[in-house]
Each structure stands twice: as structure tokens, then as C-alpha cells.
Amino acid sequence: MPGTGAVPLGLRVLALAALLACSGVRRVRGGGLSNIVVIVTDDQDQNLGGMTPMKKTKSLIGDAGATFVNSFTVTPLCCPSRCSILTGRYPHNHLVRNNSLAGNCSSAAWRGGAEAAAFPVFLSKRRYQTFFAGKYLNQYGLKEAGGVGHVPPGWDQWHALVGNSRYYNYTLSTNGVEEKHGDNYTDDYLTDVIAERALRFLDNRSPQRPFFLMLAPPAPHRPWTAAPQYRTSFGDVKAPRDGSFDKTAKDKHWLLRQPVNPMPDSTVAFLDDAYRRRWQTLLSVDDLVEKLVRKLEELKELNDTYVFFTSDNGYHTGQFSLPIDKRQLYEFDIRTPLLVRGPGVNANVTLKAPVLNIDLAPTFLDIAGVNASALDADGLSFLPLMAPSLRNGSRRPDFLVEHTGEGLSGADPTCPKLGPGLSHCFPDCVCEDSFNNTYACVRTLDGRVDMQYCEFADSESFVEVYDLSSDPHQLENIVKKVDPAVLEKMNRRLIKLQSCQGAGCRALSTSVRVELSGE
Ligand SMILES: *[C@@H]1O[C@H](CO)[C@@H](O)[C@H](O)[C@H]1NC(C)=O
Ligand SMILES: *[C@@H]1O[C@H](CO)[C@@H](O)[C@H](O)[C@H]1NC(C)=O
Ligand SMILES: *[C@@H]1O[C@H](CO)[C@@H](O)[C@H](O)[C@H]1NC(C)=O
Ligand SMILES: *[C@@H]1O[C@H](CO)[C@@H](O)[C@H](O)[C@H]1NC(C)=O
Ligand SMILES: *[C@@H]1O[C@H](CO)[C@@H](O)[C@H](O)[C@H]1NC(C)=O
Ligand SMILES: *[C@@H]1O[C@H](CO)[C@@H](O)[C@H](O)[C@H]1NC(C)=O
Ligand SMILES: *[C@@H]1O[C@H](CO)[C@@H](O)[C@H](O)[C@H]1NC(C)=O
Ligand SMILES: *[C@@H]1O[C@H](CO)[C@@H](O)[C@H](O)[C@H]1NC(C)=O
Ligand SMILES: *[C@@H]1O[C@H](CO)[C@@H](O)[C@H](O)[C@H]1NC(C)=O
């Protein structure tokens, strides 16, 4: 830090004391480290009302802290996104490309490589008591992925779901031991099991050391099984009909030109039902958040704990006539909820600077006082954005979104007539993904410019460009109207972002200083 040497020691100590007094950071534990709790839901959107049913979460975290209105995943698919959360890296650096083993989801290469250097390892070295419960990675615990005996390094207590999200009839790896569950609500409903074990962990913690909890409920992922008391909630709720709902997308890439438009009534009824049931499952997550915050309060740890609430990716229900899924480059799939409360975070603030899922790991390490260069993340700590009295920082001008499309080598059984290369098809042969739905985008959001530039790896080398300041729902692809010089500039920026690594990515993100007053 240039210049620090010139400040007399006494003044520095005074300044530090003042900083601590106003930030509210408690200095009782060895090292004075704050606790961290992070809740990551599965497929919860920000744009289509995904937070609406979560009244207690909004009040207990959002009203007591910061709500990030521009939070994004760098890849809208569960396994790659979760790996970005764990490593702080873009998929082109952690190399987990899709939800299957062959795409590195829980593969031997992941287990022996990026996973062994993910953030929990550093927290553990800082003597954090670490706890995980819920869905980890889609292939986790399967025999081909190392089995339930594989407990990733850095976790003291491990209660991870084998395979993809479910609510009943699942298997957990409980500290490496297989534990089977049936479908008795009281004993088995996964969201409640996660809550109950987290509370027990907190009761039994050592007060001398800080703790880190990561809770990953299955909600609101398929199969959308609500708790019995919530099965009839939101009876009259329907998926929102505004924006791009059931709009044609003839100026978009190949996959988006396939959906049946207008959607048949059966599809609309199906997606309305999914939308309602997603909200029902979130009510149990809202209860989990309440129980957790009350417990932290009871243990007198609440004012020394950062609580993060977010999701792995967004979701769509009927946008551009796509029935239900994620995996698209549009706002509904890449935007995620993000609420944070904790020491130094002012109450009831709305923050506009863009933050990414790759920023979470560096933020946790920043809170834990770990030199973030140890992680070699592509993302940056956003502690300076939410706790400006603790840190100064910068705001990124743009970022990368990348997705490697999933397909099937044979035909999708739901719609065999379409042939190979597609996946997640519905009975009326609308497919949600394909091998050639492989894209990379620059999303610019620097306070003046709000745009997106995307290139596809398909036979048309398709390009999509959106001016989100005038077209927030991305209804018009303006690629043919934009000055070719701008396209060339965006193409060069995309190449830089797609090939960046660690410090190189961080350097691309630090070109603009935060203007705190404007936030
Ligand atoms: C946190 O709460 C505890 C218990 O209520 C209190 O003793 C302590 O002073 C508080 N610390 C801060 C930094 O507000
Ligand atoms: C935050 O704002 C809401 C509504 O504006 C209010 O009800 C709540 O009391 C506020 N919370 C805090 C901690 O200031
Ligand atoms: C999986 O990861 C390994 C090593 O980390 C890498 O060599 C391989 O190319 C990755 N596979 C894919 C499909 O990216
Ligand atoms: C759980 O499995 C049992 C036995 O296979 C089955 O009868 C039951 O319907 C399943 N429950 C749920 C909620 O899927
Ligand atoms: C479900 O579990 C609870 C608590 O263990 C038990 O009291 C109840 O009898 C169980 N219900 C069924 C249907 O097995
Ligand atoms: C963090 O580590 C890097 C590389 O070891 C070093 O260059 C840098 O000075 C360290 N930063 C701090 C704040 O200690
Ligand atoms: C942030 O930077 C300003 C201007 O350089 C400085 O006065 C202030 O003390 C810094 N704040 C923190 C928390 O480092
Ligand atoms: C996942 O990625 C691997 C490696 O590129 C590929 O072989 C496999 O087909 C992909 N899986 C799906 C479902 O697309
Ligand atoms: C994308 O893949 C599908 C299925 O393999 C194929 O039919 C289609 O022509 C491809 N489109 C482009 C633009 O590459």
C-alpha cells in the first residue's frame, strides 16, 4: 500500500479503532473474524418474481442489509455455476462445462484439481468451523463420481445430497457415510432437514472460533414438492405475462426460432403450475432463513455474522415461448437474487454495481482475512461495495457470460423426430438446449452503458446484441443496426474475457472506481 509508511503508527491505530467502532466488527474471538452463512437456492430467478414469496428473507436479510439489484451468474446452469461459486472462477478456468461427469461435474479431474483448491480449504486453514448441507453438484456422491465416501477438503461437517435436487426419497453423504431418507415430512423433507442440522451445528459450535455455513436447499428446483402446509398456497398465482412472455424470437439464434408460438394452452397450464409450485417450495426456504436468523440472535452471534442469500442461476416460464428452464443468455436466466447482511453493511440499501457468482468466494476470503490472491479467483471481493467503511474498491465495467450447450448424441426421447443434438425437449417438440446453444457474451453495465453482445458457436456464427437501456426485455436483436466498428470492439473485448485467467480477469474488472455517493 503506497504511502502507508508515511502515516505515524499512533494515527494508524486511531484510524483503525474509529473504523472498527463505526463498522460494528466485533473483536472478541481470536483473530476477530466474523462468521459467514450463505444460502444458495436451486434455479431461483430474480426477474420473474422469484423473491416475491420470501417475505421473511427480504425483511430479515434485505431490510437489515444490502440488496444487489444487478447480481448475475457467469453461466446459467447448476453444476458449472456452483463450481464458479466454489472456486471464484469462470467455467473456462474451472473447466466444469455441464451437468454430466463427462463435462467435469464431480469428475476425477474436478475432485483432484479445482475442488481441492476451492474456498472452503482456505477458511479451514483460518480455523473456521465449516458446515455444508444440501445439494452440492449434480453428480456428487454417485459411484462413478467417487461415491458418498468422497468429502471435499475443507469441510468439518458434511451433509450433501447425492445427485440432483429432490425433496424426499434421497440419499445423503453424512460425513462420508450413506444415509437414506424416505418421504415422511417430519423426518425427511430436505429443506427442513438442512435447517434442523444447521441449527444443531450452531448449538454445538465452539464459541472461540468463527463459523462458515453453506446451506443449499433443493427449492425451487423440479420436482417442486411443497411441504404439506404449503401445498395449496398461491392457488390463484400465474406466471407473469409481461415482457417477453410468449413473444416470438425470429431475430434470435437457431434454438430460439424453434418454439411453437403462441404456446398451446396445455403448455401454459403446465408452466403456471410449475410457477406456483416453485413459490410453494420457497416458503420452506423462507422458514429456514427465519429459524437461522432467530438462532443467531439467540446465540448473540447475529451482529457478528454475514448472511448471504442467493441462487445458482435464474429461470424462465414462457419467455420467448420456451416452457420452463434456464441455459439461455437472457436476463431472466442470468440474473440471480443476492441479499447480504452483516458487520459494516448498512441497513436497507440497494446496490447497483454488478456483482457475479465468481465474486462470492473472494468476498468470503476477504471477510476471513485471507489474501485473495491465494485463491487466484477470476472474481473480486464485493465487501468494498457493501461495507464501504471497511474497504475501498472498484466497480467492474463489464463481464463474461458463457455456456456450453447440452445435447444428446441420439434423439431426445421426448421428440425423436428432431434427431440428435438437442435436449430437454417438451411433448410439442420445443427443446430448451442443444449442443450448438453454445455461446459467450459480454454484458456491459457500467452506469452509463447497459448492453449485451453474444456470439454463438453454431453453423451460422450467430450474433445477438441488445440495448437494455431501451429494450430491457431483449425483444429486438440490434446486430444489424449497430455500427460495425462497435461490433468489432465488442468482439475484441469478448476474446479478452474468454481467455482471461485469475489476475488477468481481475485486472479487466477494475477499470472504474466506485463512486459511493452514486450507489
Ligand atoms: C453484538 O451483540 C452483543 C449481544 O447483544 C453485544 O454485547 C455486542 O456489544 C454487540 N456488538 C456489536 C459490535 O454491536
Ligand atoms: C427497512 O425498510 C423497511 C421498509 O422500508 C422497513 O419496514 C424496515 O423497518 C427497515 N429496516 C431497517 C432495519 O431499517
Ligand atoms: C475436465 O478437466 C480436465 C482437467 O481439469 C481438463 O483437462 C478437461 O479438458 C476438462 N474437460 C472438459 C470437457 O472441459
Ligand atoms: C418415495 O418412495 C416410495 C417407495 O418407492 C414411494 O411409494 C413414494 O411415492 C415416494 N415418495 C415420493 C414423495 O416420491
Ligand atoms: C413420521 O415421523 C414421525 C417422527 O419421527 C413419526 O411420529 C410419525 O409416526 C411418522 N409418520 C409416518 C407416517 O410414518
Ligand atoms: C497477497 O499475496 C500476493 C502473492 O503472494 C502478494 O504479492 C501480495 O502482496 C499479498 N497481498 C497482501 C495484502 O498481503
Ligand atoms: C478510501 O479512500 C479514501 C480516499 O483515498 C480514503 O480517504 C479513505 O480512508 C479510504 N477508506 C477506506 C475504508 O480505506
Ligand atoms: C458434457 O460435456 C462433455 C464434454 O464436452 C460431452 O462429451 C457431453 O456430451 C456433454 N453432456 C451433455 C449432456 O451435453
Ligand atoms: C443446431 O443443431 C441442430 C441439431 O443438431 C441442427 O439441426 C441445426 O441445424 C443447428 N443449427 C445451427 C445454426 O448450427
Side-chain angles (χ1 to χ4, degrees):
M1 235 195 257
T4 329
V7 182
L9 181 66
L11 273 186
R12 265 190 277 156
V13 173
L14 265 183
L16 184 67
L19 198 76
L20 294 182
C22 68
S23 70
V25 175
R26 197 156 54 121
R27 299 275 146 178
V28 286
R29 255 188 291 269
L33 299 174
S34 295
N35 311 304
I36 305 169
V37 179
V38 52
I39 298 139
V40 181
T41 53
D42 196 355
D43 284 358
Q44 185 179 5
D45 65 275
Q46 165 64 33
N47 274 28
L48 307 177
M51 282 304 291
T52 307
M54 307 207 57
K55 296 202 164 29
K56 294 186 280 198
T57 302
K58 284 194 286 184
S59 142
L60 293 170
I61 307 180
D63 290 356
T67 298
F68 287 88
V69 291
N70 291 305
S71 164
F72 294 86
T73 177
V74 298
T75 184
L77 184 61
C78 303
C79 197
S81 170
R82 283 163 190 257
C83 293
S84 287
I85 292 173
L86 289 161
T87 59
R89 294 182 191 171
Y90 282 117
H92 71 261
N93 289 327
H94 61 56
L95 300 175
V96 178
R97 297 301 192 164
N98 60 32
N99 285 343
S100 47
L101 211 55
N104 270 336
C105 183
S106 281
S107 69
W110 158 261
R111 300 196 306 275
E115 184 181 64
F119 77 77
V121 175
F122 295 95
L123 293 179
S124 183
K125 278 192 197 143
R126 288 290 277 168
R127 303 196 68 245
Y128 270 77
Q129 306 167 76
T130 57
F131 171 95
F132 181 90
K135 170 173 167 181
Y136 183 58
L137 302 175
N138 300 46
Q139 304 293 326
Y140 171 76
L142 302 177
K143 200 182 276 164
E144 319 81 79
V148 293
H150 171 68
V151 177
W155 298 105
D156 297 326
Q157 273 211 33
W158 180 252
H159 305 266
L161 180 66
V162 172
N164 205 359
S165 279
R166 7 192 5 170
Y167 299 78
Y168 290 119
N169 286 349
Y170 55 86
T171 302
L172 294 181
S173 164
T174 304
N175 301 316
V177 177
E178 181 181 88
E179 182 186 307
K180 288 197 178 288
H181 282 261
D183 63 357
N184 178 332
Y185 173 67
T186 340
D187 292 342
D188 302 316
Y189 190 67
L190 183 56
T191 304
D192 293 4
V193 168
I194 294 167
E196 187 253 321
R197 291 193 186 185
L199 301 192
R200 204 192 319 153
F201 174 79
L202 288 172
D203 278 331
N204 296 333
R205 82 205 186 286
S206 153
Q208 273 74 47
R209 287 163 57 201
F211 54 79
F212 178 91
L213 283 81
M214 184 163 181
L215 310 181
H221 196 279
R222 243 177 157 141
W224 316 301
T225 315
Q229 67 273 28
Y230 298 135
R231 256 176 232 152
T232 55
S233 303
F234 308 121
D236 53 0
V237 164
K238 286 184 170 170
R241 302 298 203 255
D242 56 352
S244 54
F245 182 83
D246 213 8
K247 291 278 193 304
T248 54
K250 296 301 175 205
D251 63 0
K252 297 186 170 32
H253 65 284
W254 182 84
L255 190 65
L256 268 280
R257 285 176 248 143
Q258 309 310 312
V260 179
N261 177 273
M263 289 182 283
D265 290 348
S266 56
T267 300
V268 175
F270 169 79
L271 67 87
D272 276 337
D273 181 59
Y275 189 88
R276 238 179 338 262
R277 292 169 67 192
R278 282 164 54 79
W279 276 23
Q280 291 169 359
T281 66
L282 285 169
L283 291 175
S284 293
V285 181
D286 211 29
D287 291 341
L288 175 155
V289 169
E290 182 183 40
K291 287 178 213 165
L292 187 85
V293 171
R294 297 285 173 247
K295 175 60 77 180
L296 292 169
E297 210 165 30
E298 177 197 317
L299 298 173
K300 306 212 183 323
E301 294 280 12
L302 185 58
N303 61 1
D304 200 11
T305 303
Y306 287 89
V307 184
F308 293 73
F309 181 90
T310 190
S311 151
D312 54 1
N313 47 254
Y315 206 67
H316 57 255
T317 45
Q319 283 58 44
F320 299 122
S321 300
L322 294 166
I324 52 159
D325 203 53
K326 51 269 180 164
R327 303 161 200 265
Q328 306 301 334
L329 55 88
Y330 309 103
E331 299 283 282
F332 39 75
D333 285 357
I334 63 173
R335 282 185 181 264
T336 53
L338 177 64
L339 313 175
V340 190
R341 67 173 291 160
V345 183
N346 292 327
N348 268 355
V349 292
T350 299
L351 297 176
K352 294 199 188 116
V355 287
L356 311 177
N357 59 344
I358 56 173
D359 298 336
L360 289 165
T363 304
F364 303 153
L365 295 197
D366 192 0
I367 291 168
V370 179
N371 183 339
S373 67
L375 188 68
D376 202 25
D378 302 331
L380 288 171
S381 167
F382 56 81
L383 189 59
L385 299 173
M386 60 183 187
S389 64
L390 300 180
R391 302 272 192 287
N392 273 325
S394 56
R395 165 184 174 145
R396 59 165 57 81
D398 58 13
F399 55 91
L400 173 71
V401 176
E402 54 185 354
H403 173 66
T404 309
E406 286 191 326
L408 294 174
S409 46
D412 188 311
T414 322
C415 194
K417 71 172 188 193
L418 288 177
L422 295 126
S423 71
H424 299 81
C425 303
F426 285 81
D428 42 358
C429 292
V430 175
C431 301
E432 293 275 2
D433 210 355
S434 60
F435 282 132
N436 56 21
N437 180 39
T438 293
Y439 57 81
C441 308
V442 182
R443 180 75 178 87
T444 310
L445 190 57
D446 66 1
R448 290 174 302 113
V449 181
D450 187 355
M451 73 175 278
Q452 187 181 31
Y453 169 89
C454 302
E455 292 182 6
F456 282 81
D458 65 8
S459 64
E460 297 171 341
S461 298
F462 207 81
V463 177
E464 294 186 26
V465 184
Y466 298 98
D467 178 355
L468 286 120
S469 55
S470 62
D471 178 22
H473 299 294
Q474 298 163 298
L475 300 177
E476 188 192 1
N477 176 8
I478 56 169
V479 63
K480 297 207 169 89
K481 293 186 180 169
V482 176
D483 179 351
V486 172
L487 297 181
E488 216 169 281
K489 209 177 111 208
M490 296 309 290
N491 166 268
R492 281 200 300 271
R493 184 72 180 171
L494 182 60
I495 290 168
K496 269 193 185 164
L497 284 164
Q498 276 187 287
S499 56
C500 78
Q501 210 175 355
C505 300
R506 301 199 297 275
L508 290 173
S509 302
T510 51
S511 25
V512 185
R513 252 191 103 70
V514 190
E515 286 162 43
L516 295 167
S517 53
E519 288 301 295

